[in-house]
Amino acid sequence: MITTDFVPGSPCWLDLGAPDVRAAAAFYGAVLGWDYESMGEGEDMEGGMFRKDGKVVAGLGKLTEEGARPAWMIYYSVTDADATTRAVESAGGTVRVPPRDLDEWGRMAQYSDPLGGQFAVWQPGKDKGVELVDEPGSLSWTELYTSDAAASKEFYGGLFGWQYSDMELPGGGGTYVLITPAGLPEERMHGGLMQLPREHLALSAGRPYWHPVFAVADCDAAVAKVTENGGSVQMGPEDAEGVGRLAVCLDPSNADFVVLTPVRS
């Protein structure tokens, strides 16, 4: 489970780069019950925050990078963004956005892993990260699809100290790698990674990519809202033993995410 104590190496923030901020705000409001709070002035709505029950759950901004696809960016908590940047470069990754301060709120940087998968880090200042997780309408898991699981495990394990455990998927579906922050027990797992052929990574032209999993009270109802509001479904809804009922979805701009109604113990 993800919690809001945000130990180093745990997911702490996420934001969406969208070509149409207003349309994205309306879509996720309909699907996840989010309220959008613009941080700008005027009609352009260049960016702001999503809230659920008054608590910040994600960010939203205008997609401005030339050639970039609409996508969710997941941020992992670190104690020193500059040291993390040096470690990324030493391990063969690429710095996309060098470390920079966001006033007193914290320090961020964005990277690509050696295979091209994009991710980010957040060194907290006054702002530790999102305010609601692991509840309906909030982040409950992070997931990497990669063409080389061994290489991804080596890179991220070296960078964040992640602990891994393997789970065989039913029906010969392959191995799913579970991720736990360094030094924490397995009940604090926060994500997973799965190897897929490059041709199955068409969204990112064969490069690995991270996406968020959002908890929902009713997976089928959430999927209905996705399609009613211009999104589409790549897989599901289907039941995953011991996990819950889930579906892999695309918003109207083809940013990918998962909705999951988890099995509650």
Side-chain angles (χ1 to χ4, degrees):
M1 64 183 295
I2 295 176
T3 71
T4 55
D5 63 358
F6 303 135
V7 298
S10 65
C12 64
W13 180 255
L14 70 163
D15 53 38
L16 173 66
D20 186 332
V21 169
R22 188 180 297 275
F27 174 81
Y28 288 96
V31 173
L32 297 173
W34 287 351
D35 297 311
Y36 179 69
E37 180 181 295
S38 177
M39 295 181 68
E41 299 290 337
E43 293 296 315
D44 290 339
M45 293 178 62
E46 290 294 313
M49 303 291 181
F50 284 118
R51 293 182 182 269
K52 176 70 172 178
D53 300 327
K55 296 181 178 181
V56 174
V57 290
L60 172 62
K62 181 82 169 178
L63 184 68
T64 57
E65 183 179 349
E66 187 174 350
R69 75 177 184 96
W72 284 96
M73 179 71 70
I74 299 172
Y75 293 69
Y76 293 94
S77 186
V78 295
T79 57
D80 186 334
D82 296 271
T84 302
T85 298
R86 292 190 292 271
V88 166
E89 292 177 312
S90 295
T94 302
V95 179
R96 299 180 60 251
V97 178
R100 66 184 188 191
D101 291 323
L102 299 180
D103 297 325
E104 73 274 25
W105 304 110
R107 190 164 172 81
M108 60 82 70
Q110 294 184 358
Y111 314 109
S112 294
D113 68 27
L115 297 172
Q118 297 181 0
F119 68 106
V121 298
W122 179 251
Q123 177 185 328
K126 288 180 65 176
D127 192 337
K128 308 301 181 187
V130 294
E131 297 171 346
L132 183 70
V133 294
D134 208 38
E135 297 290 341
S138 68
L139 182 69
S140 66
W141 194 253
T142 63
E143 193 166 61
L144 174 68
Y145 290 165
T146 176
S147 58
D148 190 334
S152 296
K153 288 170 66 175
E154 181 179 0
F155 173 79
Y156 290 102
L159 189 64
F160 294 126
W162 285 347
Q163 304 167 129
Y164 300 115
S165 57
D166 292 344
M167 178 179 73
E168 295 304 315
L169 296 175
T175 301
Y176 191 84
V177 180
L178 299 163
I179 303 169
T180 305
L184 293 186
E186 287 194 348
E187 55 260 31
R188 286 292 303 275
M189 286 176 185
H190 66 250
L193 65 87
M194 184 175 180
Q195 181 166 309
L196 295 172
R198 285 179 58 87
E199 57 267 25
H200 290 185
L201 304 175
L203 278 178
S204 57
R207 297 186 302 275
Y209 58 90
W210 287 96
H211 58 216
V213 178
F214 297 117
V216 293
D218 184 328
C219 179
D220 294 76
V223 166
K225 289 291 187 182
V226 167
T227 55
E228 288 169 10
N229 289 275
S232 58
V233 180
Q234 287 192 304
M235 183 192 79
E238 64 182 41
D239 294 318
E241 184 178 354
V243 177
R245 188 162 176 81
L246 59 86
V248 182
C249 304
L250 299 175
D251 72 15
S253 297
N254 285 339
D256 55 302
F257 64 99
V258 174
V259 290
L260 167 68
T261 302
V263 172
R264 294 296 185 183
S265 56

